[in-house]
Amino acid sequence: MRAAVLGSGSWGTTFAMVMADAGCDVTLWGRDEAVAREVAEQHSNTKYLPGVELPPMSATTDAAAALAGARIVVVAIPSQVSRVTLEGLREHLEPDAVVVSLMKGVELSTDKRMSQVVSEALDIPLERVAVVSGPNLAKEIAARQPTATVVACPDEDNARLVAEACSNTYFRPYTNTDVVGVELCGAVKNVIALAIGMAQGRGFGWNTTATVITRGLVEITRLGRALGAQPETFAGLAGMGDLVATCASPLSRNHTLGKHIGQGMTLDEALVATGTTAEGVKSSRSVLELAEKHGVDMPITAGVVAVLHEGLSVEEMARALLSRPQKAEGVVS
């Protein structure tokens, strides 16, 4: 099967490796000529995945060449620039291509999920857009460590097509039709991971970590229910699975950036120290806007936004969360 992966960063390159190891004929597209040449000729990407041996695959900076004949097109570019990037590639998309979003976030200004952005930017129906999400830290998958994921698409046949294209000896996909739930889990878990990092950066321990993870899952579930997601999604790989991996692992960019904030860095300093994109920084505001639009209470998300963008200290955020009115634990609405 011919597949194109748009985005030659760590996650895009890793997913291209996964599909190549599954037997697909993969072309990786990116803007960096040196990276493309190295991937194609040396089977490595030392800029983003040092020490990883890649399977043979094509790589190019020519988007039209990458998309030509591709039955599956995977999008692994920063979420907030995805619309303008994809609009420029629309004319090169094959008429029957299924597009897979690896992006996590909610678009600023529109509050739309990434599958909606992909559908609009490429002018294709949502039935041809799948999303992949789960406990999928790129560096561990690049080391070919066993992991599982969720492939969600409104069209079950297209979900199975994508699952078959990325199933191999170390990567196990499950299919799902709950695109809303899977995408919200992927977007909001980054915000919760920022909160965990902030707390750990201030020296708070595992009790705090467990509390924020658990109550963070409640926030994700609240928003998902308001938008019509399936409740069981939040207890699965895309929900609790991804939340635990992202919040607990030092490999998580959002966790790392949050920790720098907790240790006293400014946002600009933390971005430089992290050295890569942390989607939760920008999408935290759009997630909060989406919640407010639907009347959903998300105090941890609101606290993260206040720390990152409004000057609130981590200590003030913690006091505000602990001083909220008491209620029964099972109340999620």
Side-chain angles (χ1 to χ4, degrees):
M1 186 182 298
R2 278 275 295 119
V5 178
L6 307 180
S8 58
S10 58
W11 190 206
T13 303
T14 297
F15 203 80
M17 180 196 83
V18 167
M19 297 186 77
D21 283 345
C24 293
D25 176 12
V26 180
T27 298
L28 182 67
W29 172 82
R31 299 187 185 278
D32 192 321
E33 179 67 42
V35 169
R37 188 181 310 112
E38 182 187 354
V39 170
E41 297 177 0
Q42 301 177 37
H43 310 310
S44 61
N45 185 344
T46 53
K47 183 176 181 179
Y48 294 104
L49 292 175
V52 174
E53 182 179 350
L54 301 173
M57 68 178 78
S58 301
T60 181
T61 57
D62 184 341
L67 293 170
R71 181 70 173 88
I72 295 177
V73 176
V74 179
V75 184
I77 58 181
S79 61
Q80 301 304 329
V81 300
S82 61
R83 183 182 293 274
V84 65
T85 301
L86 293 176
E87 285 176 344
L89 304 180
R90 181 189 299 168
E91 63 181 303
H92 304 299
L93 189 71
E94 295 291 347
D96 64 342
V98 176
V99 182
V100 182
S101 170
L102 302 186
M103 300 176 291
K104 308 293 194 300
V106 176
E107 188 180 41
L108 290 168
S109 76
T110 68
D111 298 335
K112 291 188 175 180
R113 293 174 285 106
M114 289 299 104
S115 64
Q116 296 172 305
V117 173
V118 169
S119 173
E120 292 176 2
L122 293 175
D123 192 24
I124 58 175
L126 286 168
E127 287 73 21
R128 283 173 53 198
V129 181
V131 300
V132 170
S133 193
N136 299 153
L137 296 165
K139 289 185 179 180
E140 292 185 2
I141 298 173
R144 294 176 171 83
Q145 296 181 14
T147 192
T149 197
V150 176
V151 178
C153 183
D155 185 301
E156 293 185 42
D157 290 337
N158 285 336
R160 285 193 290 268
L161 176 75
V162 175
E164 290 172 5
C166 64
S167 178
N168 60 39
T169 58
Y170 58 88
F171 196 78
R172 163 74 171 173
Y174 291 81
T175 59
N176 193 327
T177 56
D178 183 18
V179 175
V180 174
V182 170
E183 282 196 294
L184 287 177
C185 289
V188 185
K189 60 95 179 184
N190 285 333
V191 182
I192 306 304
L194 284 166
I196 293 290
M198 292 174 187
Q200 292 185 351
R202 294 304 300 154
F204 300 152
W206 291 108
N207 287 338
T208 305
T209 296
T211 298
V212 177
I213 289 176
T214 307
R215 297 309 300 176
L217 184 62
V218 171
E219 293 197 9
I220 298 172
T221 304
R222 282 177 185 155
L223 185 57
R225 286 178 56 177
L227 294 175
Q230 299 170 9
E232 56 268 28
T233 297
F234 305 105
L237 287 165
M240 179 56 80
D242 198 8
L243 187 64
V244 170
T246 306
C247 289
S249 173
L251 295 177
S252 163
R253 294 168 294 184
N254 292 280
H255 176 276
T256 299
L257 189 141
K259 195 167 186 178
H260 290 319
I261 296 288
Q263 291 169 340
M265 290 188 186
T266 66
L267 177 56
D268 288 341
E269 291 170 341
L271 288 167
V272 171
T274 304
T276 186
T277 303
E279 293 283 6
V281 173
K282 292 184 177 179
S283 64
S284 60
R285 288 189 292 187
S286 46
V287 167
L288 185 59
E289 289 174 2
L290 184 63
E292 290 172 343
K293 184 183 297 183
H294 291 273
V296 177
D297 186 27
M298 299 184 71
I300 297 174
T301 301
V304 169
V305 170
V307 170
L308 292 178
H309 304 292
E310 299 169 10
L312 190 73
S313 70
V314 175
E315 289 84 355
E316 288 171 329
M317 177 180 74
R319 284 196 295 271
L321 291 172
L322 291 174
S323 64
R324 287 169 50 79
Q326 294 180 350
K327 61 182 179 182
E329 182 189 26
V331 177
V332 296
S333 59

